[in-house]
Amino acid sequence: MGAVSLSEGAAYVRECLEVDMPPGGQHPRMGTHNLLISLGPASFLEVIVNDPDASTPAEPRWDDLEDLRAAQEFDLDCWHEVNSAGGSST
């Protein structure tokens, strides 16, 4: 999920899922950094944001991170409710 800052994204995940996001890494080519948490053997949740300390990338960033409206469209409450009940979010 995209966010304005890592702290904002981590706070949103903490509020919705009641878990803390561990540190992730940096993506110098894209000018982003992230937090990652495992959701199971083959899935994870990533909070990815533009890194304010990175250089502006030569190409567009992944997943339309220039347009942060996408961050407002992801509904972790829905994901949490479905998966807490043993269902599938897909």
Side-chain angles (χ1 to χ4, degrees):
M1 75 175 237
V4 174
S5 68
L6 288 179
S7 59
E8 179 185 281
Y12 182 71
V13 171
R14 188 177 310 108
E15 178 184 332
C16 294
L17 302 180
E18 299 177 356
V19 297
D20 290 318
M21 297 284 297
Q26 294 178 305
H27 315 108
R29 190 179 112 237
M30 289 288 113
T32 59
H33 56 173
N34 67 357
L35 304 171
L36 292 168
I37 191 166
S38 175
L39 300 176
S43 60
F44 64 92
L45 173 63
E46 176 181 34
V47 173
I48 185 167
V49 304
N50 297 335
D51 185 345
D53 297 325
S55 300
T56 302
E59 56 192 280
R61 288 184 169 103
W62 294 312
D63 299 323
D64 295 323
L65 283 173
E66 306 301 339
D67 181 1
L68 293 176
R69 287 176 294 192
Q72 299 169 355
E73 295 172 8
F74 193 82
D75 187 352
L76 286 178
D77 291 326
C78 177
W79 183 91
H80 185 251
E81 289 172 15
V82 168
N83 286 281
S84 293
S88 173
S89 62
T90 56

